[in-house]
Each structure stands twice: as C-alpha cells, then as structure tokens.
C-alpha cells in the first residue's frame, strides 16, 4: 500500500531556521566637549562635598560659584602681575617676578559655560542656575579687565573673516574656530569616585597634577574666546 503523499512530504521536513538577530548599533563615544563637561561637573560636586560645612547643590548660589572660581586660582598657570610689580602691564616680562599664578580668564569663562549646561542637564532649572547668576558674569568681566591690564594683553572680540572669491562668485562668511586650550579642563586629572576622600586636600592634590591650562575659548554653548 502506497504511503500518503501529503504525509510523506511533511515527514522529515526540518523547520526553517530563525532569522538572525539585527546587528546592534555601536554606541558612539561621547565627544571631547561632553567628556570635559562631565569631568567638570563631577569636580564641582566633589568641591561641594569637600566644603566646610558641606553644601548641597540645591543651596548653591552665585556667591558659592565665585568662591569656587577663586579657589581654583591656586592651581592656575597664568602669571598675573600685581599693580606694584615692575612688569605690570608688560606682555613679555624680561625676568621672573614673585607675582602669583592664577587661572586665565578664558579658562574660567569656558568652565562656567560647561557647568551652566551641565546644571540644566542634571534636572536643574534655568531660572535657578547659579552658574548663570548675574554676580558670576560681573566677576568674570572683572577678571577679564584686571588680567588685561596686568598682562598688557587686551581681550578684543575677533572679527569674522570674509573669504574673497572670483568675480563670478559671491563672498561668504568664514567660520572662526576656537582654540582647544579651554577644553583642557581645570580638572583633567581629577578622579571622582565613591571611594575618594571628601576633604579639600583631595581636590587640591588632583588639580596639582592637571595639565597646564592656558587661555582658551568657551566651548558650546557659550561663545567667547581669549588669546
């Protein structure tokens, strides 16, 4: 007796293999600006924990931000001559002096821009952002003016350059590219972890090993630059 053709076609017929899983999209590494912003934010939080008495982010004000910027001066790399110094206002002093090293205005300006953005990205309200306080802006302008006089280097806004083409083409505005000095974070060597000490000396030790910080330009979103 012949077997049923329908049953013979089904018997031994393997099931089709499952479709391969879709390829996982490789996550793009964070940009240099984003990495810098995260390190600066962690450094500021470490500073708040090391403060005596400790400060919470909710109670932080513009006055505390200014205090933080003044604290960073001890780790600066920029010579700022005192009014009584022989080289006050001299852009290229011929000899060393005992005037202190401070953070360059451009570095502080860029730092505030990154911290201001990081605050709002961490559920902070724009209206209560201490890094956008008027007092902080006034302090930065004072630092800019004082350093310009002390170092003999005027901080002027860079004019946008225009490219010239042939007569058949129309000129277009060029884009000015900011320097990378500001992206060398004031806290590049600061490692913030749960096991780190909460004393001010911990932050100071980390800053002492940071890379040299010169004049820089504010990375997005802020747009100022320094020579």
């Amino acid at each position: 007796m012949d077997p049923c053709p329908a049953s013979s076609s089904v018997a031994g017929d393997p099931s089709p293999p499952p479709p391969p899983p879709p390829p996982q999209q490789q996550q793009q590494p964070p940009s240099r600006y984003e990495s810098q912003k995260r390190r600066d934010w962690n450094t500021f939080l470490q500073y708040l924990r090391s403060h005596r008495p400790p400060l919470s982010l909710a109670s932080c004000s513009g006055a505390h931000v200014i205090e933080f910027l003044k604290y960073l001066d001890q780790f600066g790399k920029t010579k700022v001559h005192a009014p009584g110094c022989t080289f006050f206002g001299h852009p290229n002093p011929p000899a060393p002096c005992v005037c202190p090293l401070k953070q360059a205005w451009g570095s502080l300006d860029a730092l505030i821009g990154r911290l201001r953005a990081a605050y709002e990205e961490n559920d902070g309200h724009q209206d209560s952002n201490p890094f956008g306080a008027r007092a902080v802006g006034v302090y930065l302008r004072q630092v800019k003016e004082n350093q310009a006089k002390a170092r003999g280097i005027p901080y002027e806004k860079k004019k946008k350059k225009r490219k010239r083409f042939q007569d058949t083409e129309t000129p277009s505005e060029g884009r000015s590219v900011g320097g990378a000095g500001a992206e060398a974070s004031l806290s590049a060597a600061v490692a913030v972890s749960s096991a780190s000490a909460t004393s001010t000396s911990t932050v100071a030790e980390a800053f002492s090993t940071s890379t040299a910080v010169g004049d820089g330009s504010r990375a997005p979103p802020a747009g100022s630059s320094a020579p």
Side-chain angles (χ1 to χ4, degrees):
M1 185 176 180
D2 294 336
C4 179
S7 60
S8 62
S9 61
V10 176
D13 192 10
S15 59
Q24 294 182 353
Q25 294 183 354
Q26 188 176 3
Q27 187 176 5
Q28 294 293 335
S31 65
R32 184 177 180 180
Y33 169 73
E34 291 297 329
S35 299
Q36 192 69 66
K37 182 172 59 177
R38 183 171 59 250
R39 286 194 296 267
D40 292 336
W41 180 247
N42 289 336
T43 300
F44 182 73
L45 295 181
Q46 175 68 27
Y47 171 80
L48 294 182
R49 291 190 295 266
S50 304
H51 194 276
R52 291 293 177 268
L55 291 172
S56 65
L57 187 61
S59 62
C60 182
S61 65
H64 296 120
V65 174
I66 295 176
E67 180 183 325
F68 173 64
L69 296 180
K70 292 180 179 179
Y71 165 77
L72 295 180
D73 272 337
Q74 60 184 307
F75 313 110
K77 307 293 182 182
T78 301
K79 176 74 72 173
V80 180
H81 301 287
C85 179
T86 307
F87 305 129
F88 182 83
H90 200 299
N92 298 304
C97 64
V98 296
C99 293
L101 296 175
K102 295 185 177 182
Q103 295 290 349
W105 162 78
S107 299
L108 297 179
D109 190 46
L111 174 66
I112 290 299
R114 293 190 295 269
L115 291 176
R116 183 173 182 174
Y119 178 87
E120 296 179 9
E121 291 172 2
N122 287 270
D123 301 330
H125 296 287
Q126 183 178 3
D127 296 339
S128 59
N129 193 330
F131 303 101
R134 182 177 180 275
V136 176
V138 171
Y139 175 77
L140 287 176
R141 285 193 294 272
Q142 291 176 348
V143 171
K144 177 182 178 180
E145 295 172 0
N146 293 338
Q147 290 192 5
K149 294 177 182 178
R151 302 176 62 198
I153 303 176
Y155 294 108
E156 297 178 353
K157 291 184 178 180
K158 295 182 179 179
K159 296 181 179 179
K160 293 183 179 180
K161 297 180 180 180
R162 292 180 177 273
K163 297 181 180 180
R164 293 185 178 180
F165 297 91
Q166 300 296 333
D167 295 338
T168 56
E169 298 179 354
T170 57
S172 61
E173 275 194 9
R175 296 181 180 179
S176 59
V177 181
E183 293 186 2
S185 171
L186 303 175
S187 55
V190 178
V192 180
S193 63
S194 58
S196 61
T198 58
S199 62
T200 305
S201 60
T202 303
V203 181
E205 181 180 357
F207 271 97
S208 64
T209 59
S210 61
T211 56
V213 177
D215 292 340
S217 64
R218 181 193 293 270
S224 56
S225 62

